[in-house]
C-alpha cells in the first residue's frame, strides 16, 4: 500500500506553497471513517482513496484535489455529513466532494445505453469545477485497475459504463493517456476472449515489431541530423489494443491488414517550425501515403489536441504512421486539462502565447480553450483556480424520467417542455408534474438532475396559458397548433349557425346547400378547399353570410325574397323573424342572438350587462359571441370590425328568471350604522345581497360596496332609489364589471 508521506512529498514537489498538513489530516480523517470497511478484494477500504490521491498527485494536481481524492467516498459511503467536511477542510474541498457525491448518484440512476451521450453531458453540466471530473476519472481509473475482485456482472456493468461515459469524457478533456488505459481495461473486462486472442497475436509479433521500430527510429534520427532539424526524442510504439480491436471490427479485416499497427512519434523542441521541418524530412526519406497527412497544428482538434500526422511507406514496403509534435503539444495530448497545472508552473508558457484557431463553435471547448490561454498568463494561483470554474453547457439542462432516461432541454425549460420531449401525446394530456416526488406548478423551471414525473389525464387538453412559459419549439408548435384547431372548430360552428339562420331567413335549406355541388364550387371561388373553411371564414367575421348567399343564388333573387318578406311582415304575417326568436340559456346568461341559436354566449366582464341594458354582440375568434352593454368603453374599438358585430336582444321575462350580480358603490357620511341602514334598505326591495363591505376613504367619507342580485334594469333602478333614500347617503353608482 502506498504511504501518505509519498503522496505528500509529490504534492510538495509540484506545489511548494501547498498546505501539506491538510493532506495528512484528510488521510487520518478518511482512515477513521472508512475503518472496518473492506474492498471486494478483502483489502482495507482505505487503499482505494489513497491510490486515487496518488493518481491525482501524479497528475500534478493541487492539494485541494488530492485531499478530495482522499475524502471522495466519505460522504457517499459513511455517515459523515458534508458540513463536517466543510468545517475540517474548508469550502473548496467540501464543494468538490459534494460534486462527486452528485455524480455517484447520477451514474447509479441511468442505465440506458443509448443515453450515454446525454449522461456524459449531464455529468459535465452538473459540475462547475473541472477538478471534480479529474478526481472522478482518477477514482474510476483505480476501480478499473482493481476490477478483477468483483463478480462478472458487476465487472461488465462498470466496464461498459467506463467505455460509454468516462473514457469519452477523458477524451473530450484531451486526456489521451488516461482514456487509453480506461479503454483497454474496459475492453479486457467486456471482451476477455478477444482481448486474450489479440494480445497473444501481438505478443507473437513483438520481436518483429521491436526490430522494425529500432531500425526505423535509427533511420529517422540520422535523417533529422543530416537535415539539421532539431528533435528531443523519437518514440516507437505499438497501438493500443482497444483501438486495434475497434479497427478490426469496423473494417472487418485481419490483424495483418492493419498497416498502422506500429507508429513512430517525433518530439521536437517547442517551436512549431521544427514540426514542419521534420515532416519535410520524413517525406524526403520515404514516400508519403496520399491523403493521410493531417495538420492538427494549424487546426487543433476540439479537445486541443495538436500534432502533425502522416503515413509513409517504409523501406521494406510496410506503411507506418508518423506523429510529429512539440514537447508541450505532447504533454497536452497525454494529459489534457490536467496538463495545465504544469503550464501554471511556467515550464512551457515561456514560449509565448500559442496560436489557437477558434474554428469550433462548441461552447464547451471555447471554455477549455480559454482555460489554456488563461493559464499562459495567470501567475496568481487564486485566479488560476477561478479559471477552472466551468460552465460547459450553459444553454442546456438535463432531467430524468422516473425510469432513468435522460432528457436534454434548453435552460428555463418547464415540466410541459419535458412532457412534450417525451411524447406529444404526453404533452397534450399533461395535467400536472412532480419534480423529485413533489408536486410543482407547471411553470416551474427544471434544474440539472431533476427527476420529473408527468401526470396526465386522457381528457385533458393543452392550455393557451402554457404559451406564456414553455421554451421548446416542439412544445410551442404543438400548443399553438392545438389552440388554432380549437379556435377553428369553434369558428366553423359559429359560421355554420350564422349561415343556417341567414338561409332560413330567405327560405333556403342549409342542409341542401351543403350538398349542392355549386355551393362547393363557390367555396373554391372564395379560395377555400372545403366548405368548412368557408364556414370558418364566416365565423371569424371575414365573410358576411348574406353576401355568400347572394353570390350563390344571385343578388337579385335574394333581394326579391327579401322584398316579398317585408311586405308580408307589414301585412301582419310574422313568420320567419318569429322563428328566429328562440331564446337560449347558457350558464346564468339569457340572451338571444338575432338569427342564431346555441352559440356560445358570454356576457362581457368589462361591463357586466344586465337585462334592460342596451346590448350588442361581438363575434370573437374562438370564444363565441361576447355581449357588451352599448355604454361599455370597449364598444368603440370593437366597432372597427363592423362585420363582427351582431344584433342581440334579451330573452323575454317569461322564459327566464336569471339574477345577475351587480356591484354598487355608495358614498356616505362617516358615521356609524351606515352599512346596516343600506343593507336594510336593499332588503326592503326584496333583493338578495351577495357581499357588503365598508371602508373609510382618504377624504373621510364612508365607502360601502354592496353586491346585489338583480333581475333587470328596472329592478336595479328601484334598488338605487331605495339606497339613495337612506339618510347619510351622498351618492350611489353602479360599478363596471361583475362581482367576482
Ligand atoms: Mn471511489
Amino acid at each position: 500500500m502506498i504511504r501518505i508521506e509519498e503522496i505528500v512529498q509529490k504534492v510538495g514537489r509540484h506545489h511548494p506553497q501547498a498546505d501539506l498538513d491538510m493532506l495528512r489530516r484528510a488521510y487520518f480523517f478518511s482512515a477513521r471513517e472508512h475503518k472496518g470497511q473492506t474492498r471486494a478484494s478483502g483489502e482495507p477500504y482505505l487503499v482505494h482513496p489513497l491510490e486515487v490521491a496518488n493518481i491525482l498527485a501524479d497528475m500534478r494536481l493541487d492539494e485541494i484535489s488530492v485531499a478530495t481524492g482522499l475524502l471522495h467516498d466519505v460522504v457517499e459511503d459513511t455517515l459523515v455529513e458534508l458540513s463536517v467536511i466543510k468545517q475540517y477542510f474548508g469550502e473548496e474541498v467540501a464543494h468538490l466532494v459534494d460534486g462527486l457525491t452528485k455524480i455517484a448518484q447520477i451514474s447509479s440512476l441511468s442505465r440506458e445505453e443509448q443515453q450515454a451521450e446525454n449522461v456524459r453531458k449531464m455529468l459535465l453540466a452538473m459540475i462547475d469545477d473541472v477538478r471534480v471530473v479529474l478526481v472522478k476519472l482518477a477514482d474510476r481509473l483505480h476501480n478499473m485497475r482493481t476490477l478483477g475482485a468483483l463478480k462478472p456482472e458487476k465487472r461488465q456493468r462498470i466496464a461498459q459504463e467506463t467505455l460509454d461515459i468516462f473514457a469519452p469524457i477523458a477524451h473530450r478533456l484531451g486526456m489521451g493517456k488516461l482514456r487509453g488505459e480506461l479503454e483497454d481495461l474496459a475492453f479486457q473486462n467486456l471482451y476477455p476472449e478477444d482481448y486474450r486472442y489479440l494480445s497473444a497475436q501481438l505478443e507473437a509479433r513483438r520481436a518483429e515489431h521491436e526490430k522494425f521500430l529500432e531500425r526505423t527510429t535509427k533511420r529517422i534520427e540520422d535523417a533529422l541530423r543530416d537535415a539539421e532539424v532539431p528533435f528531443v526524442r523519437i518514440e516507437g510504439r505499438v497501438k493500443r489494443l482497444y483501438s486495434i480491436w475497434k479497427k478490426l471490427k469496423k473494417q472487418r479485416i485481419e490483424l495483418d491488414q492493419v498497416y498502422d499497427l506500429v507508429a513512430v512519434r517525433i518530439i521536437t523542441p517547442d517551436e512549431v517550425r521544427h514540426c514542419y521541418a521534420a515532416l519535410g524530412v520524413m517525406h524526403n526519406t520515404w514516400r508519403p501515403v496520399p491523403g493521410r497527412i493531417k495538420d492538427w497544428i494549424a487546426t487543433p482538434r476540439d479537445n486541443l489536441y495538436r500534432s502533425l500526422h502522416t503515413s509513409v511507406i517504409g523501406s521494406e514496403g510496410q506503411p507506418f504512421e508518423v506523429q510529429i509534435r512539440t514537447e508541450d503539444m505532447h504533454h497536452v495530448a497525454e494529459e489534457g486539462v490536467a496538463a495545465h497545472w504544469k503550464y501554471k508552473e511556467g515550464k512551457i508558457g515561456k514560449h509565448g502565447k500559442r496560436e489557437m484557431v477558434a474554428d469550433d463553435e462548441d461552447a464547451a471547448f471555447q471554455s477549455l480553450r480559454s482555460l489554456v490561454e488563461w493559464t499562459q498568463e495567470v501567475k496568481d494561483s487564486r485566479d488560476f483556480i477561478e479559471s477552472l470554474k466551468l460552465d460547459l453547457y450553459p444553454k442546456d439542462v438535463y432531467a430524468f424520467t422516473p425510469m432513468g432516461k435522460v432528457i436534454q432541454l434548453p435552460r428555463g425549460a418547464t415540466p410541459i417542455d419535458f412532457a412534450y420531449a417525451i411524447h406529444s401525446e404526453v404533452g397534450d394530456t399533461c395535467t400536472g408534474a412532480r419534480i423529485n416526488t413533489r408536486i410543482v406548478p407547471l411553470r416551474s423551471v427544471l434544474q440539472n438532475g431533476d427527476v420529473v414525473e408527468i401526470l396526465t389525464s386522457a381528457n385533458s387538453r393543452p392550455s393557451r396559458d402554457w404559451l406564456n412559459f414553455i421554451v421548446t419549439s416542439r412544445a410551442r408548435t404543438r400548443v399553438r397548433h392545438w389552440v388554432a384547431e380549437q379556435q377553428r372548430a369553434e369558428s366553423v360552428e359559429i359560421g355554420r349557425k350564422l349561415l343556417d339562420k341567414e338561409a332560413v331567413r330567405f327560405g333556403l335549406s342549409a342542409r341542401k346547400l351543403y350538398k349542392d355541388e355549386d355551393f362547393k364550387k363557390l367555396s373554391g371561388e372564395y379560395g377555400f378547399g372545403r366548405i368548412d373553411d368557408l364556414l370558418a371564414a364566416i365565423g371569424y367575421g371575414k365573410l358576411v353570410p348574406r353576401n355568400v348567399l347572394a353570390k350563390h343564388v344571385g343578388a337579385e333573387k335574394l333581394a326579391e325574397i327579401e322584398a316579398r318578406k317585408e311586405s308580408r311582415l307589414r301585412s301582419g304575417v310574422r313568420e320567419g323573424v318569429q322563428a328566429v326568436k328562440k331564446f337560449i340559456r347558457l350558464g346564468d346568461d339569457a340572451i338571444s342572438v338575432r338569427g342564431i341559436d346555441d352559440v356560445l354566449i358570454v356576457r362581457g366582464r368589462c361591463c357586466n350587462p344586465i337585462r334592460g341594458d342596451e346590448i350588442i354582440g361581438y363575434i370573437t375568434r374562438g370564444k363565441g359571441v361576447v355581449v357588451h352593454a352599448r355604454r361599455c368603453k370597449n364598444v368603440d374599438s370593437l366597432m372597427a370590425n363592423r362585420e363582427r358585430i351582431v344584433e342581440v336582444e334579451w330573452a323575454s321575462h317569461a322564459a327566464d328568471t336569471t339574477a345577475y350580480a351587480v356591484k354598487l358603490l355608495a358614498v356616505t357620511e362617516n358615521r356609524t350604522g351606515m352599512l346596516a341602514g343600506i343593507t336594510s334598505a336593499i332588503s326592503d326591495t326584496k333583493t338578495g345581497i351577495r357581499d357588503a363591505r365598508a371602508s373609510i376613504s382618504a377624504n373621510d367619507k364612508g365607502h360601502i360596496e354592496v353586491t346585489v342580485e338583480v333581475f333587470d334594469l328596472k329592478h336595479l333602478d328601484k334598488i338605487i332609489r331605495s339606497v339613495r333614500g337612506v339618510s347619510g347617503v351622498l351618492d350611489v353608482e353602479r360599478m363596471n364589471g361583475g362581482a367576482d
Side-chain angles (χ1 to χ4, degrees), residues 644-658:
R644 291 169 166 256
I645 304 288
V646 289
E647 274 186 58
V648 289
E649 62 186 38
W650 295 100
S652 79
H653 251 292
D656 183 68
T657 54
T658 310

Side-chain angles (χ1 to χ4, degrees), residues 45 48 52 72-73 139 143:
Y45 194 87
H48 171 63
V52 171
H72 77 274
D73 277 331
D139 173 40
N143 284 334

Side-chain angles (χ1 to χ4, degrees), residues 492-685:
V492 169
E493 209 41 42
I494 291 170
R496 188 189 307 277
K497 297 264 153 67
L498 289 169
L499 190 66
D500 282 4
K501 284 307 166 193
E502 198 70 1
V504 167
R505 209 155 78 80
F506 292 108
L508 303 164
S509 157
R511 209 175 303 162
K512 272 188 199 155
L513 205 61
Y514 298 136
K515 286 182 192 150
D516 191 337
E517 280 304 316
D518 285 345
F519 191 69
K520 274 183 200 155
K521 264 184 227 152
L522 184 69
S523 300
E525 282 171 38
Y526 276 109
F528 300 115
R530 293 177 309 164
I531 289 179
D532 269 4
D533 297 331
L534 177 76
L535 295 177
I538 294 173
Y540 275 137
K542 283 181 200 151
L543 295 175
V544 179
R546 192 186 183 285
N547 296 348
V548 174
L549 286 179
K551 198 160 178 180
H552 181 58
V553 300
E556 279 168 32
K557 191 173 174 199
L558 216 57
E560 201 179 294
I561 298 173
E562 213 160 28
R564 217 185 307 140
K565 242 186 177 147
E566 285 280 303
S567 69
R568 236 191 299 170
L569 257 184
R570 254 176 267 127
S571 67
V573 185
R574 300 186 54 204
E575 46 141 14
V577 176
Q578 192 64 16
V580 179
K581 284 197 174 176
K582 278 161 62 188
F583 300 111
I584 49 144
R585 300 196 48 172
L586 274 158
D588 69 343
D589 290 313
I591 298 168
S592 89
V593 176
R594 185 165 281 168
I596 319 173
D597 291 346
D598 294 340
V599 176
L600 178 60
I601 307 272
V602 189
R603 288 190 304 127
R605 294 172 65 92
C606 44
C607 50
N608 189 30
I610 63 172
R611 193 192 325 282
D613 275 331
E614 255 191 275
I615 47 177
I616 59 139
Y618 182 77
I619 303 169
T620 63
R621 286 180 193 273
K623 276 194 299 185
V625 174
V626 175
V627 173
H628 295 270
R630 231 171 234 290
R631 63 180 156 76
C632 177
K633 59 186 185 315
N634 292 328
V635 165
D636 274 353
S637 63
L638 298 181
M639 281 298 178
N641 296 318
R642 270 212 112 78
E643 72 284 357
R644 291 169 166 256
I645 304 288
V646 289
E647 274 186 58
V648 289
E649 62 186 38
W650 295 100
S652 79
H653 251 292
D656 183 68
T657 54
T658 310
Y660 305 103
V662 173
K663 203 187 256 185
L664 298 177
L665 172 66
V667 180
T668 70
E669 291 168 8
N670 181 9
R671 57 158 122 133
T672 54
M674 286 311 309
L675 184 61
I678 287 173
T679 51
S680 93
I682 293 171
S683 298
D684 288 347
T685 64

Side-chain angles (χ1 to χ4, degrees), residues 313-385:
I313 296 167
S315 317
E316 299 99 357
Q318 182 191 6
F320 62 97
E321 188 187 67
V322 185
Q323 299 179 348
I324 306 167
R325 53 175 90 139
T326 65
E327 185 87 274
D328 64 332
M329 289 174 196
H330 179 60
H331 195 66
V332 171
E334 297 273 285
E335 308 286 340
V337 177
H340 306 312
W341 268 267
K342 192 178 170 189
Y343 289 148
K344 186 190 148 210
E345 271 124 53
K347 287 184 181 156
I348 283 161
K350 62 187 169 228
H351 295 289
K353 203 171 166 174
R354 272 118 40 91
E355 305 131 45
M356 285 290 172
V357 184
D359 59 334
D360 186 74
E361 293 308 309
D362 190 338
F365 285 90
Q366 291 297 357
S367 156
L368 265 188
R369 190 162 283 143
S370 67
L371 192 65
V372 177
E373 284 165 0
W374 251 96
T375 48
Q376 308 306 307
E377 297 149 23
V378 174
K379 293 280 170 289
D380 180 47
S381 80
R382 210 56 250 169
D383 287 355
F384 177 69
I385 295 299

Side-chain angles (χ1 to χ4, degrees), residues 216 219-220 222-224 227 278-288 312-315 320:
T216 309
R219 181 85 193 272
I220 293 175
D222 292 346
L224 289 173
L279 181 72
V281 173
M282 288 303 97
H283 288 177
N284 212 20
T285 310
W286 292 290
R287 196 153 52 83
V312 294
I313 296 167
S315 317
F320 62 97

